Structures are given as C-alpha cells and as structure tokens.
Amino acid sequence: MRLSVLWRIILTSLVIIVVMAGVNLYALFQLRQLTALSANMVTLHYPAIESAKHLLTVLYAQLNSEKKYLVVRDATFLRHFDEEVEEFHRGLQTLETQELTPKGIELLNNIKHMQQERLAILHEKLEKNGSSSARPLGNYESRRDILMDHISATLQQFIDIHETGISVGVSRSRESSAQAEAVTEQLVLLALVFGITLAGFASYTILRPLRQLQSHIKQIGRGNFRTSLNIRAPSELRDLVDAVNWMGTKLQELDDMKEAFLAHVSHELRTPMASIQEGTHLLLDEIPGPLLQEQRTTLRIMADSSRRLITLISTILDLSKMNAGMMEYRILPTDIKRVTDVSVNKVQLLADAKHVQLLLELPAQRVWVKADVFRLEQVLDNLLSNALKFSSEGGIVKVVMKPDLSAGTLEVSVTDGGPGIQAEDLPYIFERFYQGRTKAKQGAQGSGLGLALAKNVVEAHGGRIWIESEAKKGTTVRFTLLLMKPGEPA
C-alpha cells in the first residue's frame, strides 16, 4: 500500500512525537524518584533527628530538676521534673509512631525501658528517703548516671541512624540525578537523530519522485517523448506521473504526425522543385532562346532559391529517416583528409566573398576512418557553412584534426570567430529547427536542421559531437570518429 503525502507527514510527525513523549516520560519518572527521596528525608529523617535531640535536652533537664529537688527538697523542682518526664514520654511516643526502621524501633524500646528503670530507682530512693529508718542508697547516683549515659548513647545512635539515612539519601539522589541526566541526554540525542533520520527518509520518499518527475519533464521539453516514467511514489504523485506520461504519449503522437507530414510534404515537393530547378538551368543555358541581363539575374535568384529549398527538403527527409531508424549507411574505409578538402572547396567561393580565411591544421599522413563518405561530407558541409555564416568580414575559420592513436579516435574541430552562443542556448543547440538567440549578421538565415543532422550522423558512426562557445568569443564544434586499426579489413 502506497501512503499519500499527507499520511506520510502525519505518521512521521506522530512517530517523532511518540519518541519525544517517551523521553519526557522517562525524565518525569526520574524526577519523581528524586522528589520521593527528598520527601523521605524531609518527612522522616529530619523530624526524627530534631525530636531525638529535643529528647536529649528534656532528658538532661529532668536530671537537673532531679538534682535540685534532692538537694533542697522543694516541691517546685519535683513538679518540674514530673512535667519534663511527661514531655519526654510524649516525645518518645511520637517517635515510636513515626519510626519505620526496625533498628530505630528497637532503640526507642530500649530508651523506653531504660527511662522506666531510671524512674523506678528514683521512686525507690524517694520512698526510702521518706522512711525514718532508711539510709541513703549510696549506689543510686552511680546507677542513675549509668542509665543516663545509656539513654543518651541510645538516643545518639538513633540520631546517627537517621543522619546516615540522610547521607545515603543524598548520595542516592546524586547518583540517580547523574544517571538520569546521562540517560536523558543520550535519549534526547537518540530521539533527535531518529527524528531527523525519519524526517529525512519521509522527505526523500516525497522529493525523490518529484526530482525524477522534474527530470522526465525536462526530457519531454527536449523532445524525448518516447520514454515513460515508472516510479514508486505516493498516490497524489502517482496521479501526476500518470498525467505526465499521458502527456508524453500524446506529444509523441503529435510528433509522429508532424514527422509523417513533413516527410510526405517534402517527398511531394521534391519532384516539382527538381523540375523547377532543371527548367531554370535550361533557361540560363539559353536553350529556349537568348536572355536579357535582367532575366538572367532573376533566373539566377530562382535557381539559388530552388537549390536551397531542395537542400532543405533533402535534409528534412534525411532526418525523418534517421529518427525512424530507416537511414542506411554505406560504411567504407574513408580518407577524411580528402573529404575535408572537398567540403572546403565547396565553401571557398563564399569564404572569398566574405574575405574569410580558411585555415587547415591536418596531419601530414592520411587518416582513415570507417564512414559513409556522403554523410560525413554533409556533416563537414554544415559545420563549415555555419562557421562562415556567423563569421564577420575578414575573420578566420579553422579546421583542426587530432588523431589519438592510444584511444583509437580522431577529433575534428571547426572554429569561427563569430558572436558565439549564449550559455542558455547550448543545451538545445542540436535540436531540430532551434536557432537560438544569435543570428547571422549577413547572408540568409539557416533552417536549424544542420546541427541536428550532424549529431545524428556522428552518433550513427559511433562518435560524439559537442560545442564549446562563449558569447562574443566565437564557437568551436568538435566531433570524434573511430580510427581504423592497423591491419583492420576494409
């Protein structure tokens, strides 16, 4: 199932949101654990420590009131002692209800028993002192002091337990905080990378078909209608691809109709044009009778125009055959230097008329290629005609041949010093009927078919052709052909 662009965006966003929500939930869970540790210290350990310290203070206040009473026998000090004992019991009961640790409960029970024992020996002493025959108990103070020391030490143990709990809680909080921070950073980084990767993948699955479609539309714009585009794409883009393919098919049908029409019209025009040209030549030869100078001039214009029209018709027919794959080539061993000389001789009169110098840089020895002589001559004729057409008065047209024996190729270049070709025209210069923005300053305008024919012929011979040009600095057309290997049969 191919998801639409909308659903791809929605699902990608949902996945990224879920991942980020998972990271946030983990961070929230760790924060709650830290909060629980802090709350445990605040609600359990700190109050227990404060209460235990208060019990120590009350304990020593009891001892102080007891000593004063035993010395002066004032009932006020005994009342203070009873109040402090009661306060000690209340504080101890509060600690017992709040304490959760077994060790702490055990210590509080010991304190409770020792306090009861201490009060018991005090009551015993007071009762003995109230009797007329009783003597002071000599060992009371030592027993009391031992119990006081035990109670104080036990309370201190109780305080130490909770202080240790605080230290452990703080350490655990720090460890948990550090661990949570490290894990959260890793999760955020992982979520970020995952989100970027997922978003990139989703964008790629949308943009890649769009780029392919854009490239295909450019191919259609260059006249390549036969290739259809078949790609995996979201449903909306799939509909667009189908529409573009349908458009390409229709354009191909129109192009085929145009080719057939041009071929038919060209074929039908060829015979009457040949008759017109032949009749014009008969008149110029004065076979029907003598001509006036004005009549001869008119007939020469007619002959030249009919010749150019026949050439154009022949070129259109040749291109139609090439595009249909029906062109037949007679490939034979060919001396390209001789073919070049023939083409140069054809345009020599035009070059002399424009005072353009033709320079040839050819190898000293013969250069043999396998080619159709007539078609290769067409290529050179077109390139030389274009170079002369765009050259200014007194310019130079240079023909250069460079054999590359290691690669087994021959490079031929034709260079002029004309106005050059605009950069935006270069990609389309080999298209039929395309003449670009640069026009010849003198002479008749071309048809825009010469370079298209040259490209078809060169590529049919296994070579390639390209143009190097810069505005106002002239143009060089280069093409390559395969050299005949030594000893290769003709």
Side-chain angles (χ1 to χ4, degrees), residues 265-278 306 310:
V265 171
S266 300
H267 184 270
E268 294 297 325
L269 288 175
R270 200 170 195 174
T271 300
M273 286 306 304
S275 300
I276 292 173
Q277 187 180 39
E278 186 63 28
S306 62
I310 289 174

Side-chain angles (χ1 to χ4, degrees), residues 39-54 91 94-95 98-99 158 162 166:
N40 187 47
M41 289 187 290
V42 171
T43 59
L44 176 62
H45 296 298
Y46 285 117
I49 290 172
E50 293 299 323
S51 298
K53 288 181 178 180
H54 181 67
T94 302
L95 283 177
Q98 294 176 350
E99 185 60 32
F158 183 81
H162 284 278
I166 292 175

Side-chain angles (χ1 to χ4, degrees), residues 56-342:
L56 278 174
T57 303
V58 174
L59 182 66
Y60 286 110
Q62 291 178 33
L63 180 61
N64 189 34
S65 297
E66 177 189 344
K67 287 180 178 181
K68 289 179 181 179
Y69 175 74
L70 292 176
V71 171
V72 299
R73 296 293 176 168
D74 187 347
T76 303
F77 296 116
L78 184 60
R79 188 174 63 255
H80 290 168
F81 176 80
D82 291 337
E83 291 174 354
E84 288 158 356
V85 169
E86 182 64 26
E87 184 178 358
F88 186 86
H89 285 163
R90 286 197 304 270
L92 191 59
Q93 287 177 355
T94 302
L95 283 177
E96 286 178 339
T97 57
Q98 294 176 350
E99 185 60 32
L100 301 176
T101 62
K103 182 64 176 177
I105 294 173
E106 180 183 354
L107 292 176
L108 292 176
N109 287 331
N110 292 337
I111 292 170
K112 182 177 181 181
H113 293 317
M114 286 186 288
Q115 174 70 359
Q116 290 174 352
E117 183 178 354
R118 176 179 174 278
L119 293 176
I121 63 173
L122 175 61
H123 291 156
E124 181 182 354
K125 176 176 176 56
L126 292 176
E127 289 175 358
K128 295 296 183 181
N129 287 342
S131 174
S132 59
S133 61
R135 292 180 299 175
L137 297 175
N139 62 349
Y140 166 72
E141 290 185 356
S142 61
R143 291 175 64 192
R144 180 196 65 192
D145 292 339
I146 290 173
L147 288 172
M148 286 292 295
D149 291 339
H150 284 331
I151 294 173
S152 299
T154 305
L155 281 173
Q156 190 59 51
Q157 287 181 8
F158 183 81
I159 293 172
D160 291 341
I161 288 175
H162 284 278
E163 287 181 346
T164 302
I166 292 175
S167 299
V168 171
V170 170
S171 299
R172 288 177 59 188
S173 297
R174 288 177 180 173
E175 292 175 0
S176 298
S177 177
Q179 182 181 4
E181 183 179 358
V183 173
T184 303
E185 288 178 356
Q186 293 175 358
L187 288 176
V188 169
L189 181 61
L190 183 63
L192 184 62
V193 172
F194 178 76
I196 293 175
T197 303
L198 189 61
F201 176 76
S203 301
Y204 174 78
T205 59
I206 295 172
L207 293 178
R208 182 172 178 271
L210 285 176
R211 292 195 181 100
Q212 291 177 320
L213 183 60
Q214 182 184 28
S215 177
H216 183 63
I217 292 174
K218 288 182 178 178
Q219 290 295 325
I220 292 177
R222 295 189 179 102
N224 182 12
F225 309 127
R226 297 188 183 277
T227 305
S228 61
L229 186 62
N230 186 16
I231 58 175
R232 296 178 60 86
S235 56
E236 299 96 328
L237 296 182
R238 186 69 239 178
D239 294 339
L240 182 59
V241 169
D242 293 339
V244 171
N245 285 334
W246 176 84
M247 178 184 69
T249 302
K250 292 300 180 182
L251 288 173
Q252 183 61 53
E253 292 175 359
L254 292 174
D255 192 61
D256 292 340
M257 291 173 61
K258 180 198 71 176
E259 291 289 344
F261 173 76
L262 287 175
H264 179 73
V265 171
S266 300
H267 184 270
E268 294 297 325
L269 288 175
R270 200 170 195 174
T271 300
M273 286 306 304
S275 300
I276 292 173
Q277 187 180 39
E278 186 63 28
T280 305
H281 287 161
L282 290 174
L283 290 173
L284 285 172
D285 292 339
E286 297 185 349
I287 292 176
L291 295 174
L292 298 175
Q293 183 60 39
E294 292 82 1
Q295 293 172 332
R296 184 176 295 277
T297 302
T298 302
L299 287 173
R300 283 176 179 169
I301 293 174
M302 291 174 60
D304 184 62
S305 297
S306 62
R307 178 186 58 80
R308 287 191 288 106
L309 187 55
I310 289 174
T311 301
L312 176 60
I313 292 171
S314 298
T315 302
I316 292 175
L317 286 173
D318 289 341
L319 281 173
S320 298
K321 290 180 181 179
M322 291 174 185
N323 291 332
M326 299 172 62
M327 176 62 71
E328 295 182 358
Y329 293 92
R330 297 182 61 193
I331 305 298
L332 298 171
T334 303
D335 181 5
I336 193 169
K337 289 179 62 178
R338 187 186 65 80
V339 177
T340 304
D341 290 336
V342 172

